[in-house]
Every structure is written in structure tokens, then in C-alpha cells.
């Protein structure tokens, strides 16, 4: 049929009373509406009237035509409503542009309506924070902290609330989208349109369309699309149904396959080919979907309440609907949900199973819990386990009952006297708890089970993991001492800034390796440390020996304060307490009592400062009320020196607890004190208390950001960064960007840009584009913040986009911007080599050039020294990991990075960066937790992930011959004079009338057309070379020159042949080395990018985790337990067991490949022991001795900006 050119006739039929004519018109219009819609649009009212006429038989067809007209008019809301009214005539399978658009609109509307009615409160603070926080912020009648806060929702764009009312940007917009974080879900109109109120009948049609769409996805196996819609719609019923449907479909498919196989074998009774009953262990698709949902929770879902609800659903499915649940996924969920009771119950079940795979899985889960849990969480898990009691455990540690600290001390008894490497954790449970344990209590358990629970307790305490990390860093130490020596030689030690820089570089390069040989060999340099430089150098020992739990306190004994008369430098005493906290950071059970006692007794402010930092580090995240009260009593002394450290320590102890009482105390005192340092310490501490609280911190963040004090606004930004750390929250990012361009204080703007790195470190590729314009800002503080944001978010990734932004900033005219760029570059390129990133060599050369440039600014050289330490952190075996191997937040690493950024105000806080250093290794353990000899295969060439080459040290070269140049014009003049003289002699001979003819002598001139243009060189020897045979005058002995030339050519030929042979051998060796795929030993360095290439070949040992290795500790199942085991010799294990065996650590008895001596822990001749005499000496003012001048002064001035040091 020929297409219509006009719709006038059909439109006329719509007004006819005959239903058949109207039906004919509608059918023709449905066929031609895509072409004739401009003409038909004027009659849309008639079409709507036909749809509303319930007596009209083709009203659904009228609705479909109206929907198409509104679609072409781009009125998508009305188009969707009428398309839903069309019922079955709206075909989802047609696949046209109209259908796809309406389906998308239906999905958006369904998500908005479902989320609005969700039972999950979008900002449920009842679980995290009491409803009212008694702060000192002024509140208006509406309860908001200020007018701007009352007008601004956490998700409202700031351009819509802060501009004048006459601005176009401040008018109400109709293009708002649904935001589940809003109180009522926000507008439900979908993308780019006003909210739409859908009638109840339309909701039924909408639900039918969505159900049809879901069923289509299920039939096609596209379960992830349904899961994505369910998560966005906050509909957990749909999410659960999708996972169960996937498991059911997978089971049916497998049963069908098994039935077909049975028919082929003609034996219905025969067992299935895989040896399992139909449906048993067939939850593979469900497991895959749950892993996908877990990944979505950690990377996409930004709201904490929704994330917790989804994780609880996954946990329920894993425990109730899967025959063989994934216990590792369960462990990940229980840590995030803080379900310590469930974690201990799972461990009990696996131990009670008794078989080897279950025990190996229990050990692996214990390692995962330790990697992801805080001290408080692990202590609660230990309380619920039936752990054995050693002899003498009846004496409890002093402390008030009821506090977390006293409970922890009663539960864990330190055993430093016997030097044991494994601490038996003692639960002081009451009779009721033991009665509940029944046969599972330690009193009624067999000896073997007691041993198993003791081992699990040691793993959860961290003793085993720390011991293995210490062994790994010790045996694989590749610190390049020549770089450290160049840093020392390039920086004047008399200047405190440079002395601190060398101390930091030494600490970072040797972090966790126990190698303090640099102190031993540079005692004269160390003796130049005075005052706070001595404090920093002493604290560096804590970074170097971090994790040396067995000998940490004994190592620092010469530096620690004495109970008797105070002797020695107070700076070394304070630094030693700080170092003790660094050694036992996040594992401070053994030393908490000692640090509390020293902090209580200390009278000098410097010792109190170091004691507060050490106490905060050792008691991190314990939530101890006793420690908090002691710190608060010191805070009220209003001392600027120790007040900053005390405020920071209060935040460390109450890390992530969200304690309202602590926040009220800290806010109140921050408004009362006049010391800026105390306010800054309290501001950062408050941010740490709200770590990971997300929406629960919004009220307090708003109050701090509205405070007139810039230091408290600085604290508000830090709280925002810590509360939303790693979430990628758009709300938090938008707020930070607004403050970065609007605040009047440079410090606040700098930390706002820097905090972007904390929010987005799980999405590092998105950060360079976000801060690209900020890196070119006119304000140097914003540029510095952009550089540090790149370093924090892209640490260890080697991201090219980030490096491209940082390279121009290395040449920035402002010194502290160059400092930040150098530090950020080192963070990004840590553990990178030229094969992984070709720019590594250029960056290293730049760092070497800057450190040796005597005209470079002091701040830039300080940053360069830090960069050289960071890029080779932990003996080139550590990266900066802000998340664990399993994807959870690495709490200690994030806290260490956050406090490290405060080095801008106080240099000793730089040592906190060591908390972010994560060893990169794979350590395989058998079921007895021994380290067997194991071969792992890496499917790459060896050079791709090899260590960077050590820097070549040029030896003293022998004196060279000095060549004296003779110009060709001079030689020509000599030759002309010689010719003239010869001609004169010839004329004389002819005039004498001799009887015989004499042939004239030909002058010795060089032949050839270009001889006169060449430059002759006379070889002249140095004075020291006068006794050599080379000083023969070849001008008087042409034959000697020829002979020497012949000998030289012969020697050169022989050398060429030798070099060629060596080159061929070297090439063959390199070719052999570069073959694709190679074997690696157990406890080798394995970079994060290398993990996807690693496999453990099948053999005697099989990993309990069947998926790709994640790094860290991997528990192996021994398939041949009766065979003798070949274990790896542990070089650093003996020092952790006692002082009697500490000689094995001494580098003179056991030397690494790089010939660096290790610290003889507990011996008097170690680097730490030898440095004690220097660092503990009391500083005396010498007349006439001044500090070295800085190369150039700090010449940047700005109102409200803080000094860089």
C-alpha cells in the first residue's frame, strides 16, 4: 500500500460516531505516525479522549498512538504513561528506538518509586550516633548550625544554595534527579525531567513491564542487569530473588546435562560423571553473582546503610542457601559489618570439623580477619573463642573494669620475659561464658584442639603475620646504601631540616628490615643532631624495627626514660617512646601499660609529647576509656608542645568509634584554648574518631566547615576525608571541590584538594582528570594539594596520566609545590622499574640531581630526600597500600597517610607514613604454619618485575694523558719557514761551483690534499705519569711511533675479540634470563600487578583459596602429610625468640646480597646501641657555632597561610 502524505482524512475519521471508522483510523495512524506525527499532534486531545472512553474497544491502540506522538514531542513522561496504558500492545521485544526509550524510562521510574518506599533509611544515624550532639556550634531555630547549613542539603549542589536569589543558578531547577540520600528519595521523574506522580493503576502496569523485563533477562542469563537495577532501587527482595533464580537455573541446567549423560551410558543407576548427587555443589553461578554484589558494595554503593543491608543479605544467603558456602566471602562481610560473634562461630565450626581442609580454612580466615580487622574487633573475636590459659594467668593486669583497655589487658598477658615469639592470648571469661561453651571450652577440649585454638589466637593477635613480614623484609632487603650516603653528603647536617630529612630517608628505606647499619657507620653525622632533630632520629629506630615485637622494648632500653633521676637528653627519651609506639603500632597490647605509666610519670613536655604519640599508636582503635581519660587530663594542662600530640592521640585511641562524649570534649576545648597547635591536633583527632562513619558524620562536618576558625574548618575537611575514605562518594567530592575554590584560607583549600585522594583512591584513574585544572591554579597551595592528591590516590600504580601532571610541577616556581610533586612522584613510582614504567629512570635521575644541587631550595631538597626514601621503601619490598589484599580498607595505612600529611606543620609526624608501607609478598604456609620450600610460577619475563638496578659508584679513575692541541695554521707556518730555509741552502750550494752534483733535500711534509687542514696533537703526560714508558718522544723516533701504533692496534684487536666473546656470552645469558615464565621461591617479592600472572603449580601443596592468589599469607594443604617436609630456613626468626639467639641477626654472621649488616637485636654493638651514646647526650650550646644557613629563604607570603614546616 502506498504511504499516506497527509493525515487529514484519518484525523477526520476520529470524530466519526462509527467505532469501526475510528478503529480503522487508529490502525492506519499507528502505521504512519512516525512520519505524520507533526500533523497528528494537533489532534492529540481527540486521541486521549478515545483512550479515556472505557466503552471504546480499541482504547489500548489509542494509548499506543498517543505514546508515540508524545515520544516524538520528547515528552517522555507522558509517553511512558500512555505506553503503559497500551498494555500488551506495547511490545518489549520489538527492539525499536521508541521501545528502548520507554523501557529505560520505566526502569528509571521504577527505581525512583521503589527507592522512595524502601525500608532502608537513607541516612539512618540511629546505629552510629545519638540524635543530638552537644557542641559549641551556634544553632538557629530550625536546629541547623547556621543559615547556610539549613539551606544546604548534603547532596544539593552548592551553586543552588549559596548564590544570590536573583542568579539564574539559584532558581529552582526542573532537571533534578532522584537521589536516595535525600530524606524522601528526591524527585522521581528520572533523568532530566520534573517529578512524575504515577497513579496506582499505572504502577501495576509498570510493575508488569518490569517483571516482564526481569524474566527476559533471566531467560537470557543476564542476571547482573537485574542485580544492578535492584541495588539502585534499594529493593533487596528483587536482589535476593535474582541470586536464588540464578542458582536454581544453574542447578536445572546441570541436572539436564547429567540426565543426558545417563541416557548416553544407558545406565540410570550409575553415579554421575562428577561423582556428586544432582544439585549438590551446583551453586557456582550464585557464588559468582554474590562476588559481583560484594564488589559492587565496595566500589559502587556509596551509602553505608544500604551497603550494610546488602552485606547482611549476602551473609544470610551464604549461610542458609548454599551447601558449601564461601567462608572467605563470609569473612569479608563479617569484618565490614563488625559481626565478631559470627566470625568466632565460623572459626569454631571449622575447628570442630577437625579435617585438614577445614583447619587450613580456619587458619586462612584468621589471617584474613587480622588483615582487615581493628584491634577492638579482633579482641572481641578472641573473647568468644575458647583459648587456653597459661600458668599464672590468674593475675590480671591493673586497670578499671568495664573499659575496653582493662578487658584487653585481662585477656592478653604479655610474655616478654621468656622471649616467646607466639603470645598465648588468655580470655578471662566468667563462669557463665564457660558454661555456654560446654564441650567447646578450653577445660574440656583435647590437647590437639587446644593447640589449634592457641594457633588461631596467635594469628588473630598478629604475632604470626608480623613475624613472617619481618622475615620477608629481612631476607629480601635490597636497600641501596649509596643513595642514602649521597643524600647525607648532599645535605648539610648542621641544619635541622636537612638532618631530619636524612633521618626520614634512612627510616623509610630500611622500614621493617631491622637494618640500622647507617647509624653505626655515621655516628659523627648523628652527633650533629640537636633538640627535635635528636627526637626524630631516635624515633626513626621505631620505623626501622617496626614489627619486631619480641625485642622492641629491649632494643630501645638505652633511650627510654629511667625511673630514677632523669639522665640523658629529654628529646631522645621522648623520641624513644614515640619509636616504641611505631614498633607496636596497632598491636600495642604488650607495651600499653608501660607507655601509660611513662606518660603518667613524665614531667617534661618533650617526653609527654613522645609518650602521647607512642600511646596513640600502640592503642590505636582500642576505644579504651582509661587511656582517653589520661590523655584528656594532660590536654587540659594547655601546653602547646604536648597538646597537639595529645589531641592526635585521643583520635587514634578512639579511631572509628564515633564517640559522642569524646567529640563533645574535644570540640568544647578547641573553642576554649588559644593555642593553634592544640586546636589543630584536636581537629585531626576528631576526623579520626569519625573514620568510616559516612552519613553519621555529616552533621558534625557541616558544623566544623561553618566555624569561623580556619583550623576547625581544616578539621572539618579532614573529618570529611576520613568519614568517606575510599567510598568515591560524589557528595563528598562535590563538597571538597566547592571548598577548594571558595574558602578564604589557603590551608583549608590545600587540604580540601588533598582529601580528594583519600575519597577516590579506589578509582585512581579518575583523579588526574579531576585535578588537572587545579594543578594549574594560581594558588600554590592548591597546586600542592593537587600533587599530593595524585600521590595518595595513585600510590604504587605507576599511572602515566598522574606522572604527566606531576612532571611540570617539579619545575614549579614555588618551593613547597616542588616538594609535594617530588613526594607524590615517589609514591606513584614505588616498587616500579623501567620495564614497568620507562619514566622511573628519569625521575630517579631528577631526584639525584636535586639532592646534589647546592642552589636548590631547602624545602624542595627536603621533599627530595623523603622521595628517595619512599621510592625505595622497606628495602624495595614495600608498597603504599590503602586497602588490603581482599579489598577492605587498610585502617592503619589510611591513618598513617592522613597523619603524615600533617608534616607540613610538624616534621616528626612524617614517621607515620611507615604505617602505610605494606610488604608485597606471597608467603605459603602449611597446616602447621611452617614455611615449606615451594615453587611458584610467574608467566612473565623476569625483568618485568625485577628490582631496580643499584646505583653505580664511580671508583677513583687513573690520571689520563693530557693532549695539547696544535693549530694547523701554526704547522703551516712552520712548513713554510722550513721550505724557505731549504731553498736558501740550495742557493748557497749552487754558488760554490762544486765538482759533484748534490740532490737537494726534500722537506718532511705531510702528503695528501687535506694534510694542511688537519690538527696535530702532541701527547703530554701528567706529572705522575713521568715514570711510564709512554713518554718516548715519537717526533724524534718515527719508527717507535709506528711500532707503538702496531702494538696498540694488536691490543685493540685482541680486546675487541675478547669483548665480542664477552658480549655474546652476556647476550646468551640475558636471553636465557628473559625467557617467558620462570619459577620463584616461597617468600619472594610479588608486586600487586604481578599477582594476576602468578600460579602455584599442582603438586604436594595446594592453596586453600582456589582462586587467583591475592598476596600475603596463603595457607596450603599438604596432600602428602606422611612424607618428610623440606622447610625454608628462617633467618630472622631467632631474634624474635630471645636475646640468646640474637647473634644470628648480626650482619657479620649472616650477610645479605647487598652486604648490609643487620641489627644485632639485644646486643651492645648494634647500630641502635652504638647510636645510644650519641643520641642520649645532653645538648650543650657551643659558643660561636651556628646552624648552617638555608640555601634560600621561604619567600612565599599569603594571608592566612601556614608555614610549610
Amino acid at each position: 500500500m502506498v504511504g499516506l502524505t497527509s493525515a487529514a482524512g484519518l484525523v477526520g475519521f476520529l470524530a466519526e460516531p462509527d467505532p469501526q471508522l475510528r478503529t480503522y483510523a487508529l490502525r492506519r495512524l499507528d502505521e504512519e505516525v512516525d512520519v505524520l506525527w507533526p500533523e497528528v499532534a494537533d489532534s492529540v486531545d481527540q486521541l486521549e479522549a478515545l483512550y479515556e472512553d472505557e466503552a471504546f474497544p480499541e482504547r489500548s491502540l489509542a494509548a499506543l498512538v498517543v505514546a508515540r506522538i508524545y515520544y516524538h514531542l520528547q515528552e517522555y513522561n507522558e509517553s511512558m504513561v500512555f505506553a503503559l496504558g497500551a498494555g500488551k500492545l506495547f511490545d518489549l521485544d520489538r527492539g525499536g528506538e521508541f521501545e528502548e526509550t520507554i523501557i529505560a524510562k520505566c526502569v528509571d521510574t521504577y527505581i525512583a518509586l521503589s527507592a522512595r518506599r524502601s525500608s532502608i533509611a537513607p541516612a539512618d544515624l540511629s546505629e552510629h550516633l545519638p540524635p543530638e550532639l552537644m557542641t559549641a556550634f551556634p544553632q538557629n531555630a530550625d536546629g541547623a548550625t547556621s543559615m547556610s547549613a539549613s539551606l544546604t542539603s548534603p547532596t544539593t549542589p552548592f551553586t543552588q544554595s549559596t548564590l544570590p536569589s536573583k542568579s539564574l543558578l539559584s532558581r529552582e531547577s526542573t532537571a533534578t534527579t532522584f537521589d536516595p540520600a535525600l530524606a524522601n528519595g528526591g524527585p522521581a521523574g528520572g533523568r532530566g525531567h520534573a517529578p512524575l506522580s504515577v497513579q496506582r493503576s499505572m504502577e501495576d502496569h509498570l510493575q508488569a513491564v518490569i517483571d516482564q523485563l526481569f524474566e527476559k533477562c533471566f531467560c537470557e542469563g543476564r542476571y547482573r542487569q537485574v542485580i544492578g537495577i535492584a541495588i539502585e532501587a534499594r529493593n533487596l527482595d528483587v536482589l535476593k530473588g535474582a541470586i536464588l533464580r540464578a542458582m536454581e537455573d544453574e542447578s536445572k541446567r546441570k541436572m539436564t546435562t547429567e540426565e543426558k549423560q545417563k541416557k548416553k551410558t544407558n545406565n540410570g543407576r550409575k553415579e554421575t560423571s562428577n561423582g556428586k548427587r544432582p544439585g549438590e555443589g551446583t551453586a557456582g553461578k550464585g557464588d559468582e553473582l554474590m562476588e559481583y554484589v560484594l564488589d559492587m558494595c565496595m566500589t559502587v554503593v556509596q551509602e553505608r546503610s544500604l551497603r550494610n543491608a546488602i552485606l547482611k543479605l549476602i551473609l544470610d544467603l551464604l549461610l542458609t542457601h548454599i551447601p558449601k558456602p564461601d567462608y572467605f566471602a563470609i569473612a569479608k562481610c563479617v569484618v565490614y559489618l563488625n559481626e565478631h560473634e559470627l566470625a568466632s562461630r565460623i572459626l569454631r565450626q571449622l575447628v570442630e570439623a577437625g579435617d585438614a581442609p577445614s583447619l587450613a580454612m580456619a587458619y586462612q580466615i584468621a589471617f584474613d580477619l587480622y588483615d582487615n580487622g581493628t584491634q577492638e574487633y579482633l579482641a572481641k573475636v578472641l573473647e568468644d573463642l575458647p583459648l587456653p590459659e597459661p600458668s599464672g594467668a590468674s593475675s590480671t593486669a591493673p586497670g578499671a573494669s568495664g573499659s575496653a583497655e582493662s578487658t584487653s589487658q585481662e585477656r592478653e598477658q604479655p610474655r616478654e620475659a621468656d622471649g616467646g615469639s607466639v603470645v598465648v592470648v588468655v580470655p578471662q571469661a566468667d563462669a557463665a561464658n564457660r558454661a555456654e561453651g560446654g564441650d567447646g571450652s578450653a577445660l574440656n577440649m583435647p590437647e590437639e584442639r587446644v593447640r589449634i585454638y592457641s594457633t588461631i589466637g596467635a594469628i588473630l593477635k598478629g604475632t604470626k603475620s608480623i613475624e613472617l613480614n619481618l622475615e620477608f623484609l629481612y631476607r629480601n632487603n635490597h636497600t641501596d646504601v649509596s643513595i642514602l650516603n649521597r643524600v647525607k653528603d648532599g645535605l648539610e647536617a648542621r641544619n635541622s631540616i636537612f638532618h631530619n630529612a636524612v633521618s626520614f630517608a634512612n627510616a623509610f628505606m630500611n622500614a621493617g628490615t631491622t637494618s640500622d647499619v647507617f647509624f653505626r657507620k655515621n655516628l659523627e653525622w648523628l652527633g650533629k643532631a640537636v633538640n627535635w632533630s635528636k627526637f626524630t632520629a631516635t624515633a626513626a629506630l621505631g620505623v626501622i624495627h617496626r614489627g619486631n615485637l619480641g625485642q622492641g622494648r629491649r632494643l630501645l632500653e638505652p633511650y627510654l626514660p629511667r625511673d630514677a633521676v632523669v639522665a640523658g637528653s629529654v628529646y631522645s627519651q621522648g623520641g624513644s617512646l614515640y619509636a616504641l609506639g611505631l614498633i607496636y603500632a596497632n598491636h600495642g597490647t604488650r607495651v600499653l601499660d608501660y607507655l601509660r605509666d611513662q606518660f603518667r610519670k613524665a614531667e617534661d613536655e618533650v617526653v609527654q609529647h613522645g609518650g602521647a604519640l607512642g600511646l596513640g599508636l600502640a592503642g590505636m582503635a582500642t576505644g579504651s576509656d582509661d587511656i582517653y581519660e589520661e590523655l584528656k587530663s594532660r590536654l587540659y594542662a594547655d601546653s602547646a608542645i604536648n597538646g597537639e600530640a595529645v589531641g592526635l592521640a585521643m583520635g587514634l585511641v578512639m579511631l572509628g568509634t564515633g564517640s559522642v562524649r569524646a567529640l563533645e570534649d574535644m570540640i568544647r576545648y578547641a573553642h576554649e584554648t588559644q593555642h593553634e597547635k592544640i586546636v589543630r591536633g584536636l581537629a585531626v583527632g576528631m576526623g579520626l574518631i569519625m573514620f568510616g562513619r559516612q552519613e553519621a558524620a555529616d552533621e558534625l562536618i557541616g558544623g566544623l566547615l561553618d566555624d569561623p576558625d580556619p583550623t576547625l574548618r581544616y578539621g572539618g575537611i579532614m573529618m570529611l576525608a576520613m568519614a568517606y575514605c575510599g567510598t568515591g562518594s560524589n557528595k563528598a567530592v562535590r563538597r571538597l571541590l566547592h571548598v577548594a575554590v571558595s574558602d578564604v584560607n589557603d590551608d583549608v583549600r590545600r587540604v580540601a584538594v588533598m582529601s580528594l585522594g583519600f575519597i577516590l583512591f579506589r578509582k585512581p584513574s579518575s583523579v588526574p582528570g579531576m585535578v588537572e585544572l587545579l594543578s594549574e591554579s594560581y594558588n600554590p597551595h592548591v597546586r600542592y594539594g593537587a600533587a599530593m592528591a595524585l600521590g595518595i590516590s595513585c600510590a604504587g600504580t605507576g599511572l602515566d596520566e598522574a606522572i604527566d601532571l606531576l612532571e611540570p610541577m617539579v619545575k614549579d616556581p614555588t618551593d613547597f609545590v616542588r616538594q609535594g610533586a617530588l613526594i607524590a612522584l615517589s609514591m606513584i613510582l614505588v616498587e616500579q622499574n623501567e620495564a614497568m614504567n620507562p619514566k622511573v629512570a628519569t625521575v630517579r635521575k631528577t631526584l639525584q640531581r636535586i639532592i646534589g644541587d647546592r642552589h636548590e631550595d631547602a624545602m624542595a631538597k627536603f621533599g627530595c630526600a623523603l622521595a628517595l626514601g619512599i621510592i625505595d621503601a622497606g628495602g624495595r619490598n614495600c608498597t603504599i597500600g590503602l586497602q588490603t589484599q581482599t579489598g577492605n580498607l587498610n585502617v592503619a595505612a589510611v591513618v598513617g597517610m592522613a597523619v603524615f600529611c600533617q608534616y607540613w606543620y610538624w616534621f616528626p609526624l612524617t614517621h607515620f607514613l611507615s604505617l602505610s608501607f605494606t610488604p608485597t609478598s606471597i608467603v605459603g604456609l602449611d597446616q602447621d604454619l611452617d614455611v615449606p620450600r615451594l615453587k611458584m610460577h610467574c608467566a612473565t619475563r623476569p625483568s618485568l618485575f625485577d628490582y631496580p638496578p643499584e646505583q653505580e659508584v664511580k671508583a677513583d679513575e687513573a690520571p689520563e694523558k693530557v693532549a695539547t692541541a696544535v693549530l694547523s695554521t701554526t704547522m703551516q707556518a712552520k712548513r713554510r719557514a722550513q721550505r724557505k730555509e731549504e731553498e736558501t741552502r740550495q742557493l748557497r750550494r749552487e754558488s760554490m761551483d762544486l765538482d759533484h752534483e748534490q740532490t737537494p733535500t726534500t722537506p718532511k711534509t705531510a702528503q695528501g690534499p687535506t694534510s694542511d687542514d688537519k690538527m696535530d696533537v702532541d701527547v703530554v703526560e701528567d706529572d705522575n705519569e713521568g715514570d711510564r714508558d709512554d713518554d718516548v718522544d715519537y717526533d724524534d723516533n718515527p719508527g717507535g711511533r709506528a711500532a707503538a701504533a702496531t702494538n696498540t692496534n694488536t691490543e685493540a684487536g685482541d680486546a675487541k675479540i675478547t669483548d665480542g666473546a664477552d658480549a655474546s656470552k652476556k647476550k646468551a645469558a640475558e636471553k636465557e634470563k628473559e625467557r617467558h615464565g620462570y619459577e620463584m621461591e616461597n617468600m619472594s617479592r610479588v608486586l600487586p600487578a604481578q599477582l594476576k600472572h602468578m600460579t602455584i603449580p599442582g603438586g604436594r601443596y595446594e592453596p586453600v583459596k582456589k582462586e587467583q592468589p591475592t598476596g600475603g599469607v596463603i595457607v596450603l594443604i599438604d596432600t602428602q602429610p606422611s612424607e618428610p617436609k623440606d622447610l625454608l630456613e628462617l633467618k630472622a626468626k631467632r631474634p624474635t625468640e630471645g636475646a640468646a639467639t640474637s647473634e644470628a641477626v648480626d650482619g657479620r654472621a649472616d650477610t645479605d646480597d647487598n652486604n648490609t649488616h643487620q641489627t644485632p637485636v639485644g646486643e651492645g654493638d648494634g647500630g641502635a646501641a652504638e647510636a645510644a651514646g650519641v643520641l642520649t647526650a645532653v645538648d650543650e650550646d657551643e659558643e660561636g657555632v651556628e646552624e648552617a644557613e638555608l640555601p634560600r629563604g621561604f619567600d612565599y607570603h599569603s594571608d592566612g597561610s601556614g608555614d610549610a614546616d
Side-chain angles (χ1 to χ4, degrees), residues 1148-1166:
R1148 292 168 292 182
D1150 190 0
T1151 306
D1152 282 346
D1153 294 337
N1154 57 354
N1155 296 325
T1156 58
H1157 298 292
Q1158 302 298 322
T1159 304
V1161 183
E1163 294 289 331
D1165 57 348

Side-chain angles (χ1 to χ4, degrees), residues 336-379:
Y336 191 88
L337 295 173
N338 203 26
E339 295 283 350
H340 57 88
E341 294 180 356
L342 183 56
S344 60
R345 191 189 315 155
I346 292 173
L347 291 174
R348 283 173 178 265
Q349 291 176 357
L350 292 173
V351 173
E352 290 172 1
D355 57 311
S358 297
L359 292 180
M361 191 173 296
Y363 291 152
Q364 185 68 68
I365 290 176
F367 278 113
D368 291 346
L369 290 176
Y370 165 74
D371 289 337
N372 297 285
T374 62
Q375 283 197 86
E376 183 182 16
Y377 176 80
L378 296 175

Side-chain angles (χ1 to χ4, degrees), residues 937-945 1070-1079 1092-1094:
H937 182 75
C938 181
T940 62
R941 62 183 190 276
S943 63
L944 182 59
F945 300 107
E1070 290 180 354
K1071 186 176 181 180
E1072 177 69 17
K1073 181 182 178 181
E1074 288 300 305
R1075 68 185 185 277
H1076 191 79
Y1078 61 100
E1079 303 294 329
K1092 59 184 177 182
H1093 305 287
M1094 298 297 300

Side-chain angles (χ1 to χ4, degrees), residues 1041-1052:
R1041 179 187 294 274
T1046 303
N1047 294 335
T1048 304
N1049 292 335
T1050 304
E1051 294 174 358

Side-chain angles (χ1 to χ4, degrees), residues 289-322:
L289 287 178
M290 279 187 279
E291 290 179 4
Y292 172 72
V293 173
L294 282 175
D295 182 65
M296 292 278 288
C297 282
M298 299 302 175
T299 58
V300 177
V301 178
Q302 299 179 359
E303 188 180 343
R304 180 171 182 172
S305 57
L306 177 60
R307 185 185 296 124
N308 289 349
I310 295 174
L311 290 176
K312 289 179 181 178
L313 172 64
I314 297 300
L315 201 56
D316 177 67
L317 291 174
L318 287 170
L319 294 174
T320 59
H321 291 81
I322 296 182

Side-chain angles (χ1 to χ4, degrees), residues 131-132 176 241 276 291 357 371 489 503 602 869 884 1018 1048 1107 1160:
E132 185 176 2
T176 55
K276 296 180 181 179
E291 290 179 4
D371 289 337
D489 296 337
S503 298
T884 63
D1018 293 339
T1048 304
E1107 65 270 12

